[in-house]
Amino acid sequence: MNTEFPDTPPLVEGLIYPGLTILTGAAKIGKSWAALQLVTTLDQGGVYLGSLKAGKTDVLYCALEDTPKRILKQGGEVAFNGSRVETIRRNPKTLRSFCRRIPTSAW
């Protein structure tokens, strides 16, 4: 109970902190596009939603309901807002490998 933890800097100023983030809302209001913009902003660092400062970090974006065609209109690896985005489905082993490459301090 007396343990003190250091402040964790936000990924997006005043909005998103390290950990699990779930974006919810009504159908067809732009959640997928907002999420894709968020992950590309975090990939490069910069500004999100026009004024919120965002850090640069590794990102794993799981668009479980979207198909590559729906998001990017093509498969494979493409550039989106200057970020490399892969639309190839991965297996659990590949995802574990990705997660192991990220320093635990980023979690």
Side-chain angles (χ1 to χ4, degrees):
M1 297 300 289
N2 293 329
T3 303
E4 291 188 27
F5 296 98
D7 287 338
T8 303
L11 296 172
V12 176
E13 182 178 61
L15 184 66
I16 299 174
Y17 289 80
L20 176 67
T21 299
I22 298 174
L23 180 64
T24 66
K28 306 296 179 198
I29 63 169
K31 295 181 302 292
S32 294
W33 289 110
L36 193 55
Q37 182 67 46
L38 172 63
V39 299
T40 58
T41 300
L42 290 172
D43 174 61
Q44 301 170 35
V47 177
Y48 182 62
L49 299 178
S51 63
L52 301 174
K53 293 178 186 173
K56 179 176 172 50
T57 188
D58 291 313
V59 179
L60 173 63
Y61 172 54
C62 297
L64 302 177
E65 294 180 351
D66 293 320
T67 64
K69 181 179 178 182
R70 183 176 181 280
I71 294 176
L72 302 172
K73 306 295 186 209
Q74 66 187 58
E77 185 177 309
V78 297
F80 182 85
N81 288 351
S83 294
R84 183 178 58 87
V85 177
E86 293 181 25
T87 60
I88 301 168
R89 296 193 184 272
R90 300 293 181 180
N91 62 38
K93 182 178 179 182
T94 306
L95 293 176
R96 279 192 296 275
S97 174
F98 173 85
C99 290
R100 285 187 185 115
R101 290 193 313 262
I102 300 172
T104 55
S105 61
W107 296 57

